[in-house]
Amino acid sequence: MALNFALQVLPFLLFIALGYFIGHYKERRHYKSIHRRKSALLNIPATTLAEYDNNIGKVAEVKLACGSTAVSVDYYKRILAFFRNLVGGEVKSYSSLVDRARREAILRMKESCPDCDIFINCRLQTSTIT
């Protein structure tokens, strides 16, 4: 009886462990990519301010720049979030997803117009795709 139960539970636990390690590896790799690309674009500021400081100089050109990304959640983080929702509190496993998506979107925006001097009035929005 105990052996039968162990044989049923073991694949589930292996699946959870595999999801954790693969998800953790991919997340670390994505953060490394973000930091590497970010260092090349550090000299281009991005601000949420809606007004441009005219003391910097005359505006030669205005462009609309967009940066979008979609980051999916792995099963391990989904299971952690399920248990966190039962007791309440911050879902830290989802916080890293939102952080990665925000950083990636800003980088993509900067990469879309690499000749810009400054990005003003930047807005970030999250949504759920089902």
Side-chain angles (χ1 to χ4, degrees):
M1 179 91 149
L3 180 62
N4 191 21
F5 177 74
L7 289 176
Q8 290 177 350
V9 173
L10 187 62
F12 176 74
L13 293 176
L14 287 175
F15 178 71
I16 296 297
L18 186 65
Y20 170 76
F21 288 115
I22 291 174
H24 186 68
Y25 169 76
K26 288 188 173 248
E27 185 175 45
R28 278 195 350 244
R29 194 173 76 183
H30 188 215
Y31 268 123
K32 284 180 183 177
S33 167
I34 287 172
H35 289 301
R36 180 178 32 81
R37 292 166 37 222
K38 183 176 153 184
S39 64
L41 299 168
L42 276 177
N43 61 337
I44 307 172
T47 180
T48 59
L49 297 175
E51 296 182 15
Y52 177 73
D53 185 8
N54 289 332
N55 295 330
I56 295 174
K58 191 172 184 180
V59 176
E61 185 179 1
V62 177
K63 293 181 181 179
L64 176 64
C66 297
S68 299
T69 187
V71 178
S72 70
V73 62
D74 57 51
Y75 282 110
Y76 178 76
K77 289 184 180 191
R78 193 170 293 174
I79 290 170
L80 285 178
F82 170 77
F83 287 118
R84 175 55 75 177
N85 285 332
L86 291 176
V87 296
E90 179 186 357
V91 184
K92 292 180 182 177
S93 59
Y94 281 6
S95 295
S96 67
L97 289 175
V98 173
D99 179 58
R100 283 175 40 214
R102 177 183 54 82
R103 290 172 185 258
E104 182 68 33
I106 291 171
L107 279 173
R108 288 183 182 182
M109 176 187 68
K110 287 181 175 184
E111 289 170 345
S112 72
C113 297
D115 57 334
C116 288
D117 296 323
I118 188 170
F119 290 89
I120 61 169
N121 204 20
C122 297
R123 299 290 180 249
L124 298 170
Q125 180 178 343
T126 61
S127 62
T128 302
I129 301 172
T130 55

